[in-house]
Amino acid sequence: MSSPPYVRRFIPLVLVICIAQARSADFALPQPLRLVDVAAIAMDNRAEVAAAKARAQALAQRPAIVSALEDPVISASVDHYPYNKPTMEGGSRYDRSFTIEQKFPLSRVRTHRRDAAQAEANRAAALAVATGLDVVQDAQRNFLMLHERRRMRLVIDEQIALAQQLVGAAAGRYASGAGVQADVLRAEVELARLKAEQQVQTAQIRAAEAMFNVSLGRAAESAIPALWYQPNREEPAPAATVLERAASNRPELGVGSAEVNRARAEVEVMRTMYKPMAMVRIGQARTMAEGAGAMLMVGINVPIWRERLDAGVSEARAMQRMADADLESMRRMVSGEVLAAREKVNASRTQWLALESEVLPRALVATDSALAAYASGKGALVAVIESARALWGIQAELVMAESAVGDAWARLDRAMGTRQETKP
């Protein structure tokens, strides 16, 4: 039994919707998700990478297109059709011909055009690599941001637990007559402030999750598993090493070199314009008087307008000088960027290690001592709150320093044009 017409009309629409939903279904992420996993996931799923690769693949076909000969021209013509009826017996009624015409350059212009197109294809390939590196860095930075937000939420939970202890100590002293009600209220104010901060962190985590999902090419509302991240404790490579890596791997330098090669090829293309182009035409002809026969024509164009040709060469040489200057500027910029990124790694690593090994342990001891003294009836609540606030600030600073180390390594990798798959 066939379906009603309105059902048959909606079946294609339902199929399209189902296919679209299947394609947009979220892919599973590793459990737990590590920083080293982010690069491959982003490269495989970001549309920007696919678009850049497709553009490079398209431009890779240009050398074969621009270096080919012009298409031959096939012509059929009536060369002479008399108004009066011809008097010659046995002849044709009119003159007609059928020819094939082909143009051939008398220079290496096709080779130079192919070189220019190949340079453009190389430039697009280098830009695709740069796009991939930008995508990876974006995903890594969003990973670190989400990790920082989640860690900060745990830190705030610990701070709330400490504030609750402070409220309990103040309430105990007030109940025993050793304290005042103002201390209890002040401790409760600190607890309320931390709970409000906890709610803020919840919203910030949702925002960071949405940005991280987008940076991985996933739906913004998709669930994200637990993250695992440990800052890299290694020292960066020496300055000479990172400069060497940047010089050999940085895709922007490849883009600049491709632009220089293209400009040089364009100069040669314009110089070949001084040489003529040949034209060959062969075919069959039939005349009224002599009947069928063959025809051959050979010709060349005459490039006599030297002012236009000279201007074209001058323009191409100016573009070559511009490309050379841009490449030199890019090399200097890359050198400065990679050295600055290396020192940023040193600075963030030093700060993180100092906070972890020196500052935080002392802050914990100071806060525990102040709280114990206040609970035993000694000391003032103000000293405990100041010590606790100092501890909370250091804990937050440590979390941000951990993320800063990862961000600094990501910047250094991008500056060198590499992706380190072995870092935590």
Side-chain angles (χ1 to χ4, degrees):
M1 183 177 179
S2 61
S3 302
Y6 66 90
V7 174
R8 291 196 298 269
R9 286 197 300 268
F10 280 104
I11 287 177
L13 178 60
V14 173
L15 290 176
V16 170
I17 294 175
C18 292
I19 293 173
Q21 290 179 347
R23 290 180 177 177
S24 63
D26 295 330
F27 47 87
L29 296 176
Q31 297 273 356
L33 181 61
R34 304 179 303 165
L35 184 59
V36 293
D37 302 324
V38 170
I41 295 173
M43 287 289 292
D44 291 340
N45 296 281
R46 283 286 291 269
E48 296 93 327
V49 177
K53 289 181 178 179
R55 183 176 185 273
Q57 292 171 357
L59 289 177
Q61 309 304 316
R62 293 296 301 172
I65 297 173
V66 300
S67 62
L69 287 171
E70 294 184 16
D71 292 333
V73 178
I74 300 176
S75 304
S77 64
V78 176
D79 301 315
H80 178 69
Y81 191 93
Y83 294 124
N84 301 320
K85 182 178 180 181
T87 58
M88 186 177 299
E89 296 294 336
S92 176
R93 176 68 178 84
Y94 51 86
D95 294 346
R96 62 182 182 271
S97 63
F98 179 83
T99 61
I100 300 177
E101 179 183 318
Q102 178 66 64
K103 293 182 178 180
F104 300 92
L106 299 181
S107 64
R108 300 184 60 196
V109 63
R110 294 168 55 204
T111 300
H112 298 318
R113 285 174 177 171
R114 182 178 64 246
D115 293 341
Q118 185 60 54
E120 183 64 22
N122 295 339
R123 179 179 181 275
L127 286 175
V129 175
T131 300
L133 292 175
D134 290 337
V135 162
V136 168
Q137 184 185 19
D138 180 58
Q140 289 176 339
R141 297 184 70 178
N142 281 286
F143 173 95
L144 294 169
M145 177 60 69
L146 177 58
H147 180 268
E148 177 183 320
R149 298 301 185 191
R150 289 185 174 181
R151 279 290 310 277
M152 196 68 73
R153 174 64 183 269
L154 297 177
V155 169
I156 290 178
D157 292 342
E158 295 176 0
Q159 294 173 358
I160 288 176
L162 179 59
Q164 290 174 343
Q165 293 181 16
L166 187 60
V167 171
R173 288 190 59 175
Y174 177 66
S176 64
V180 295
Q181 187 179 12
D183 289 347
V184 179
L185 296 176
R186 187 167 185 178
E188 290 177 346
V189 168
E190 290 297 322
L191 180 60
R193 183 182 64 82
L194 290 173
K195 288 184 176 180
E197 182 65 22
Q198 186 181 49
Q199 296 177 357
V200 172
Q201 285 295 328
T202 300
Q204 291 180 343
I205 288 173
R206 289 197 298 266
E209 287 178 344
M211 292 302 299
F212 183 47
N213 274 321
V214 172
S215 68
L216 292 181
R218 306 173 79 226
E221 66 277 6
S222 303
I224 298 176
L227 307 181
W228 187 90
Y229 165 70
Q230 181 65 32
N232 185 15
R233 296 178 178 271
E234 299 177 2
E235 294 184 4
T241 302
V242 297
L243 286 174
E244 182 180 355
R245 292 176 182 174
S248 58
N249 297 313
R250 189 69 183 263
E252 287 81 0
L253 296 179
V255 171
S257 297
E259 290 177 349
V260 169
N261 293 334
R262 182 183 62 179
R264 290 175 179 173
E266 292 292 346
V267 171
E268 297 301 322
V269 169
M270 297 309 299
R271 291 177 62 184
T272 58
M273 294 294 104
Y274 288 101
K275 297 183 179 181
M277 177 175 289
M279 179 185 66
V280 178
R281 180 186 300 169
I282 61 174
Q284 183 181 19
R286 179 178 292 273
T287 65
M288 294 181 292
E290 299 180 0
M295 63 178 299
L296 171 65
M297 185 190 75
V298 177
I300 61 171
N301 68 326
V302 183
I304 61 174
W305 308 115
R306 296 292 176 167
E307 182 178 356
R308 175 177 61 86
L309 298 176
D310 293 342
V313 173
S314 299
E315 178 189 25
R317 286 176 175 171
M319 296 299 294
Q320 179 184 352
R321 292 194 298 270
M322 183 188 72
D324 290 334
D326 286 342
L327 179 58
E328 180 62 25
S329 175
M330 178 62 67
R331 285 173 178 163
R332 294 184 179 182
M333 186 197 71
V334 167
S335 298
E337 184 179 348
V338 72
L339 291 178
R342 179 181 179 274
E343 296 306 321
K344 182 65 175 179
V345 171
N346 285 328
S348 58
R349 176 177 170 273
T350 301
Q351 182 184 21
W352 168 60
L353 292 176
L355 288 171
E356 182 187 47
S357 60
E358 300 291 339
V359 182
L360 182 60
R362 287 181 171 85
L364 287 171
V365 172
T367 302
D368 291 342
S369 298
L371 183 59
Y374 181 76
S376 63
K378 301 177 182 179
L381 179 65
V382 174
V384 181
I385 292 178
E386 290 180 353
S387 180
R389 284 185 174 179
L391 173 62
W392 297 338
I394 293 170
Q395 288 175 331
E397 191 175 354
L398 177 61
V399 172
M400 291 185 290
E402 290 179 354
S403 298
V405 172
D407 183 71
W409 274 110
R411 290 177 181 270
L412 178 58
D413 291 338
R414 179 63 183 89
M416 293 188 298
T418 58
R419 287 195 291 128
Q420 299 292 336
E421 305 291 348
T422 58
K423 289 192 178 72

